[in-house]
Amino acid sequence: MERIQVIADAAIEVIAASGMRGLTHRAVDQAAGLPVGSTSYYARTRAALLSLTFARILELDQVSSPSGGLAESIADYAFEAVTSGRARMLARYEFALEATRRPELREQYDSGGAVIRRAAVEMFAAAGSIDPVRHAGLVVDWMEGTIFGALAGASAPPSLESLVTSAREILRGIGVG
């Protein structure tokens, strides 16, 4: 793994554990097990560190084409987000809130979200949706709510089986799948 990925992955862990206020170059060096100053070599400023960290979140967030059915792919993504992807998602939600206050992050956050939503639209179009933009939006919003609720503690983390069942019900309700 390249050092920049190690730094970005460590920054994700720092943000997930300590929030945006805990994100410092030194904290990332420590979390990555790197010598002091390593992070600042690759990201001189806090803005640069935020940018490379969010770029890594987007890279890790990419949804591959469904290998099984659409419901299973949706459920797999949401399940991964609340289990092995928990730190990434917590950091992504921290970025979402920070982007409401920092225009330079807003642009990056919005463009990253657009990439994910376009991929969802393409999946729905391929699945035969009569309105792939609207349907993808509905399902992405359901996934975001489900993931946020599980991570914020508003609800228990769902099982993969319950996510598949819910995804099938939603898809059936909108006439897809």
Side-chain angles (χ1 to χ4, degrees):
M1 183 180 301
E2 290 185 40
R3 183 159 287 195
I4 200 137
Q5 287 178 327
V6 170
I7 289 169
D9 289 345
I12 290 168
E13 294 294 330
V14 168
I15 294 168
S18 303
M20 286 294 193
R21 288 181 163 244
L23 182 68
T24 65
H25 287 78
R26 186 177 297 268
V28 174
D29 287 339
Q30 185 175 18
L34 297 172
V36 173
S38 298
T39 297
S40 63
Y41 176 80
Y42 290 94
R44 299 294 300 157
T45 64
R46 180 175 173 80
L49 180 57
L50 289 169
S51 183
L52 81 87
T53 303
F54 191 68
R56 180 68 173 152
I57 288 170
L58 291 176
E59 179 184 332
L60 295 170
D61 243 1
Q62 293 304 304
V63 179
S64 58
S65 298
S67 52
L70 186 57
E72 290 77 13
S73 293
I74 291 165
D76 286 344
Y77 178 85
F79 186 72
E80 185 275 336
V82 300
T83 56
S84 63
R86 184 177 195 282
R88 179 187 84 246
M89 296 307 291
L90 287 171
R92 185 157 68 82
Y93 290 134
E94 289 280 346
F95 269 96
L97 294 172
E98 191 71 12
T100 66
R101 297 178 288 274
R102 299 183 59 171
E104 69 277 12
L105 289 180
R106 176 90 266 155
E107 185 178 325
Q108 188 177 14
Y109 188 82
D110 288 348
S111 66
V115 169
I116 292 168
R117 288 191 180 259
R118 273 194 304 275
V121 169
E122 290 171 11
M123 286 173 56
F124 275 82
S129 168
I130 60 168
D131 192 347
V133 172
R134 191 169 63 80
H135 291 157
L138 288 168
V139 173
V140 168
D141 289 347
W142 167 77
M143 285 177 21
E144 289 287 349
T146 298
I147 293 165
F148 184 83
L151 295 179
S155 59
S159 68
L160 180 57
E161 295 77 23
S162 70
L163 288 167
V164 170
T165 299
S166 295
R168 285 182 181 148
E169 290 169 349
I170 289 168
L171 293 173
R172 197 170 30 252
I174 60 175
V176 178

